Amino acid sequence: MTTTSDVFDETVPPGEETSVALLEEEGDVAADYIEELLDIADLDGDIELDVRAGRAYVSVEASEGRADALKPLADPETVRALQELTRLAVQNKTGRFSRLILDVGGSRDTRQSELEALVARAIEKIDEGASQASLPPMSSYERKLVHDIVAERGFVSESYGEGAERHTVIRRG
């Protein structure tokens, strides 16, 4: 059983620093890697870097006037795969574990909206009399977002299961 405070199953190895300078370095390495991938795929994109909540965030947005240019890469499963490849590239270059977050073409905002709708439907089931509602398996980052959404709505959530089957269950507080 997992609570909001320990939803991340991606842990930083003991003694690993997460200073802003190291996270900025992760972002720079990730940006270089993503830039190379965009060049190979002949896609245009603007890359922005940020450090938030102990993670490097790398966002790729379509260049001015080319709103649909990144659409092939913005699918959530594709973004998840690109994120894992980028994390491996960063780890290979820096020798450090990376928990960076990648967003392509606003896919994170889109997924946030999808998760909010999923939680709303689950809460409707509870309001209609169900004792709890289970959500499908998702990544630790998505479960963290779900836990935050659920808490904002005054309900309680916990994660159950292992690996790819790890999912969130929502119930009244």
Side-chain angles (χ1 to χ4, degrees), residues 100-116:
L100 73 86
I101 300 296
L102 176 65
D103 180 36
V104 178
S107 61
R108 293 281 174 193
D109 290 339
T110 300
R111 186 61 177 154
Q112 172 83 20
S113 296
E114 291 170 354
L115 292 172
E116 288 171 357

Side-chain angles (χ1 to χ4, degrees), residues 40-67:
I40 290 168
D42 196 30
L43 296 172
D44 291 325
D46 297 324
I47 300 173
E48 293 184 23
L49 307 175
D50 195 12
V51 172
R52 290 180 267 153
R55 288 181 181 229
Y57 281 74
V58 179
S59 299
V60 184
E61 295 297 329
S63 296
E64 190 79 27
R66 306 235 8 219

Side-chain angles (χ1 to χ4, degrees), residues 85-139:
L85 288 172
T86 305
R87 286 177 173 179
L88 289 172
V90 168
Q91 184 174 347
N92 186 46
K93 181 90 172 190
T94 65
R96 295 184 310 271
F97 179 78
S98 173
R99 296 180 356 157
L100 73 86
I101 300 296
L102 176 65
D103 180 36
V104 178
S107 61
R108 293 281 174 193
D109 290 339
T110 300
R111 186 61 177 154
Q112 172 83 20
S113 296
E114 291 170 354
L115 292 172
E116 288 171 357
L118 192 63
V119 168
R121 286 192 302 272
I123 288 174
E124 282 177 19
K125 289 179 184 178
I126 294 169
D127 286 342
E128 292 170 356
S131 62
Q132 63 185 28
S134 294
L135 301 181
M138 56 188 71
S139 72

Side-chain angles (χ1 to χ4, degrees), residues 148-170:
D148 291 345
I149 295 165
V150 168
E152 286 173 6
R153 297 191 182 184
F155 286 75
V156 175
S157 59
E158 296 177 303
S159 293
Y160 294 92
E162 299 295 325
E165 296 302 313
R166 196 145 175 86
H167 65 282
T168 305
V169 176
I170 301 170

Side-chain angles (χ1 to χ4, degrees), residues 12-19 22-23 26 96-97:
V12 177
E16 189 70 32
E17 295 179 11
T18 56
S19 73
L22 291 177
L23 293 171
E26 276 188 30
R96 295 184 310 271
F97 179 78

